[in-house]
Amino acid sequence: MSQPSAVEEKLEHLQHHFIDSDQQFEASKLGMWIFLVTEILFFGGLFAAYIVYRSWYPELYLLASEELDVFWGAVNTFVLIGSSLTVAMAIRSAQLNQIRGLIINLWITIGLAVTFMVIKYFEYAEKIEKGILPGAHYSYDGIAHEKANIFFSIYYMMTGLHGIHVLVGIGLMVWLVFKAKKKVFHSGYYTPVEITGLYWHLVDVIWIFLFPLLYLID
Amino acid sequence: MSGHHISSAKFLWGVAISLFILTFLTVGVAYIHIPEPWNVVVKISIAAVKAVIVAAFFMNLWWDSKFNVMLFIMSILFFVLLVGITLLDTLYRVDPVPSF
């Protein structure tokens, strides 16, 4: 009587208003998908601004994107796709009860996310040095277009908002590592890992569009 | 049942490698200089294919409940609506607002 059975122990995570673990898992995932929809529309406003200004000043985008380094943009694309792979591997480890593998994959993901931000930092630093700042602070005269600041306002807003999402993702994954070390996750309960994974893949998808739109205008 | 598809490690690597190859392809396409409207079309198409691969096989929509798939598609439809209606205004202005 006093010893909780193995089954009961594994149901610690189940909240009383759900019938079973599956229903709780599906409800969490549905909630996350609704959040991701709002995220897509949140970034959608910026993509709309990008499209409107590109339709007004197509030649500006051609000139200004030459200031962006395709090499580092491509490296960051590989880094983010790699991190999506390790997050998927982390979820797989959790599903298979391999908690060590889960923690290792989360650390690799955090490492890749930090790499992304370090590269982004050097890209920003190089531009700020030249006086390429958003809006009224723009003071670079290497681009022969009077609206050059507009391209970089859009650039900083889109990559900046994306960068904030990467930082939030790093925070979430550090939190997951701590939870995993406390043995919270197992094959019957890994909802936070799955949900954070969905978020991380969306951040990857947004970068997949930002890279060609900002860096690859030939 | 629907939410617990476990992908094999081999499969996940395959997905990532296909995404890497498509990234190489986009960068490659940028250096061939395809004429005007088509370069954008090609690059956005490649990005869209990559996004669908991520959504289907990393975000597991392929095996997921159809409701989540619908949510994802609806977000894209509403984004198209946002851009479409905005462009109906901005494309047909006599001249853009001077200070913009």
Side-chain angles (χ1 to χ4, degrees), chain A residues 37-63:
Chain A
V37 167
T38 71
E39 286 278 272
I40 290 168
L41 292 170
F42 181 29
F43 277 95
L46 290 171
F47 279 102
Y50 174 99
I51 293 167
V52 167
Y53 278 101
R54 190 159 176 180
S55 73
W56 278 347
Y57 308 112
E59 70 292 349
L60 161 66
Y61 280 64
L62 280 172
L63 286 171

Side-chain angles (χ1 to χ4, degrees), chain A residues 31-47 161-162 164-166 168-169 172 198-200 202-203 206, chain B residues 59 72 75 79:
Chain A
M32 193 61 192
W33 269 106
I34 291 171
F35 172 69
L36 294 186
V37 167
T38 71
E39 286 278 272
I40 290 168
L41 292 170
F42 181 29
F43 277 95
L46 290 171
F47 279 102
L161 188 63
H162 180 266
I164 290 170
H165 279 77
V166 173
V168 170
L172 287 172
L198 286 178
Y199 169 84
W200 192 254
L202 187 85
V203 172
I206 287 164
Chain B
M59 298 169 97
F72 184 55
S75 75
F79 169 66

Side-chain angles (χ1 to χ4, degrees), chain A residues 74-209:
Chain A
V75 169
N76 259 350
T77 309
F78 286 114
V79 167
L80 269 199
I81 292 172
S83 73
S84 260
L85 170 65
T86 56
V87 158
M89 289 294 206
I91 293 168
R92 180 183 145 76
S93 302
Q95 287 170 325
L96 297 173
N97 248 333
Q98 298 162 348
I99 302 310
R100 221 178 93 82
L102 166 64
I103 292 170
I104 291 170
N105 275 308
L106 285 172
W107 275 124
I108 299 172
T109 311
I110 293 166
L112 289 168
V114 170
T115 308
F116 179 90
M117 289 311 290
V118 168
I119 292 174
K120 207 83 221 125
Y121 166 80
F122 282 112
E123 284 191 281
Y124 277 1
E126 184 251 354
K127 283 179 195 65
I128 290 167
E129 187 109 333
K130 283 187 186 166
I132 299 178
L133 286 157
H137 305 286
Y138 185 87
S139 63
Y140 180 59
D141 47 14
I143 300 169
H145 198 290
E146 50 169 344
K147 302 282 186 191
N149 62 337
I150 283 178
F151 177 85
F152 288 101
S153 297
I154 292 170
Y155 167 81
Y156 278 114
M157 277 304 290
M158 293 183 102
T159 58
L161 188 63
H162 180 266
I164 290 170
H165 279 77
V166 173
L167 290 177
V168 170
I170 293 171
L172 287 172
M173 277 177 292
V174 170
W175 169 70
L176 287 180
V177 168
F178 278 107
K179 292 263 266 185
K181 282 193 172 156
K182 283 192 202 150
K183 307 255 180 277
V184 176
F185 303 128
H186 49 81
S187 58
Y189 175 69
Y190 58 92
T191 311
V193 187
E194 170 85 19
I195 300 293
T196 308
L198 286 178
Y199 169 84
W200 192 254
H201 294 312
L202 187 85
V203 172
D204 185 18
V205 166
I206 287 164
W207 182 260
I208 283 174
F209 282 99

Side-chain angles (χ1 to χ4, degrees), chain A residues 22 25-26 29 33 37 40 44 53-54 56 78 81 85 89 92 95 147 150 190 198 201 213 216 218, chain B residues 1-7 12-13 20 23 30 39-40 43-44 59 64 68 71 75 79 90 98 100:
Chain A
D22 259 3
F25 180 79
E26 288 300 325
K29 216 162 60 171
W33 269 106
V37 167
I40 290 168
Y53 278 101
R54 190 159 176 180
W56 278 347
F78 286 114
I81 292 172
L85 170 65
M89 289 294 206
R92 180 183 145 76
Q95 287 170 325
K147 302 282 186 191
I150 283 178
Y190 58 92
L198 286 178
H201 294 312
L213 285 177
L216 295 178
D218 41 23
Chain B
M1 170 192 114
S2 54
H4 295 277
H5 172 84
I6 304 179
S7 301
L12 293 175
W13 269 100
F20 287 145
T23 305
N39 53 2
V40 184
K43 271 173 240 163
I44 295 302
M59 298 169 97
D64 207 349
N68 292 345
L71 285 175
S75 75
F79 169 66
T90 62
F100 283 76

Side-chain angles (χ1 to χ4, degrees), chain B residues 21-97:
Chain B
I21 292 170
L22 285 169
T23 305
F24 273 119
L25 195 68
T26 348
V27 178
V29 162
Y31 287 98
I32 329 177
H33 297 291
I34 302 170
E36 232 327 295
W38 297 107
N39 53 2
V40 184
V41 173
V42 169
K43 271 173 240 163
I44 295 302
S45 309
I46 295 175
V49 170
K50 287 166 77 180
V52 168
I53 292 174
V54 172
F57 304 120
F58 274 165
M59 298 169 97
N60 284 347
L61 276 185
W62 188 265
W63 304 277
D64 207 349
S65 92
K66 294 282 170 287
F67 195 81
N68 292 345
V69 180
M70 184 204 74
L71 285 175
F72 184 55
I73 292 171
M74 289 300 272
S75 75
I76 293 157
L77 288 181
F78 273 87
F79 169 66
V80 171
L81 200 63
L82 167 71
V83 172
I85 293 175
T86 308
L87 285 178
L88 281 180
D89 170 3
T90 62
L91 280 182
Y92 300 102
R93 287 186 189 183
V94 182
D95 44 16
V97 185

